[in-house]
Amino acid sequence: MHILATARLNLRTVEPGDAAFYLALLNDPAFVEQIGDRGLRTLEDAQQALLAGPIAMQEERGHSLYVVELRDSGGVPIGMCGLIKRDSLDGVDIGYAFLPAWRGQGYAFEAGVAVLGFAPSLGLRRVLAITSPNNIASNYLLRKMGMRFERFTHLAPGDAGTNLYSIDLAPPDDDGRLPRIVQALEALTPRAVFAPVSAPCPDNQRTRSKRTP
């Protein structure tokens, strides 16, 4: 299902047919180093992970990670960006990852700002983000998107620790689209175009998922 579009990108929900792309993304050395090894080694592993993770979360909560495609490529997936609810955090966080060939070209920023602009239509007024303190690019990107550093925290006993960021989103405009924080960034990225999707229940009214993406 189409979710939203920017000048260069389309964002859509995940499908089982994205298994090959998902397998390549999660086994990219930078993903393994900065985010972690998910242990997916086969197409069947990847498909089952999609069904139990992003696809299930989208059905249960009305949001999850989205596949990011180049608009002028006929649907070539280059990464993922979206809104995740983890058991280890007390709120919804924005997550993203892109294949090596598409990094350093502003796509993560463009997709991230669009997703933050979409969040209020889902009933979200605050969005979190986590990243490794050693991931210089991701820490810079989150600040560029307008997120503020809150604290260094441990999401599980014995883990290496992570930087926690947050952003408070203003209520959407009358058209239900971009909050003021995103409008302030329009000079840096084109205005997002949102698909006419039915509004899901606010996240805090949904049954909390037992899955951790």
Side-chain angles (χ1 to χ4, degrees):
M1 178 177 67
H2 175 75
I3 297 296
L4 58 93
T6 68
R8 300 185 295 172
L9 306 172
N10 283 322
L11 278 74
R12 62 166 174 82
T13 53
V14 178
E15 302 170 354
D18 293 314
F21 155 71
Y22 194 60
L23 185 66
L25 181 66
L26 268 63
N27 283 284
D28 172 66
F31 185 101
V32 173
E33 177 184 359
Q34 299 292 349
I35 300 177
D37 187 352
R38 297 296 187 258
L40 306 182
R41 300 294 182 261
T42 68
L43 283 176
E44 183 179 359
D45 290 342
Q47 188 173 69
Q48 290 302 314
L50 288 176
L51 291 170
I55 293 175
M57 183 172 290
Q58 179 68 33
E59 292 176 351
E60 293 172 6
R61 294 187 171 274
H63 62 76
S64 186
L65 286 171
Y66 306 123
V67 174
V68 180
E69 301 173 336
L70 291 177
R71 292 187 67 175
D72 298 331
S73 70
V76 173
I78 65 172
M80 300 183 79
C81 184
L83 298 162
I84 311 165
K85 180 62 189 78
R86 309 173 195 265
D87 292 340
S88 55
L89 289 176
D90 62 359
V92 172
D93 71 287
I94 184 171
Y96 48 84
F98 285 76
L99 291 169
W102 310 107
R103 296 176 194 147
Q105 300 174 59
Y107 293 127
F109 175 71
E110 188 170 328
V113 169
V115 166
L116 290 178
F118 185 56
S121 71
L122 299 171
L124 299 173
R125 296 294 177 264
R126 183 170 183 261
V127 173
L128 306 176
I130 54 173
T131 191
S132 165
N134 299 323
N135 192 337
I136 296 174
S138 187
N139 281 279
Y140 172 77
L141 175 62
L142 292 174
R143 293 178 187 274
K144 184 179 178 182
M145 288 193 297
M147 306 197 78
R148 63 179 181 275
F149 174 78
E150 284 200 355
R151 65 184 183 276
F152 177 78
T153 187
H154 294 273
L155 301 181
D159 71 9
T162 185
N163 284 348
L164 176 67
Y165 289 81
S166 69
I167 187 170
D168 294 317
L169 301 173
D173 294 336
D174 292 339
D175 62 6
R177 296 181 180 177
L178 296 177
R180 289 192 297 273
I181 185 65
V182 179
Q183 290 180 340
L185 293 171
E186 281 188 318
L188 298 176
T189 192
R191 185 180 178 94
V193 179
F194 293 87
V197 296
S198 57
C201 296
D203 189 77
N204 58 12
Q205 294 180 12
R206 295 180 178 272
T207 302
R208 290 188 177 273
S209 172
K210 297 299 183 182
R211 298 179 177 87
T212 301

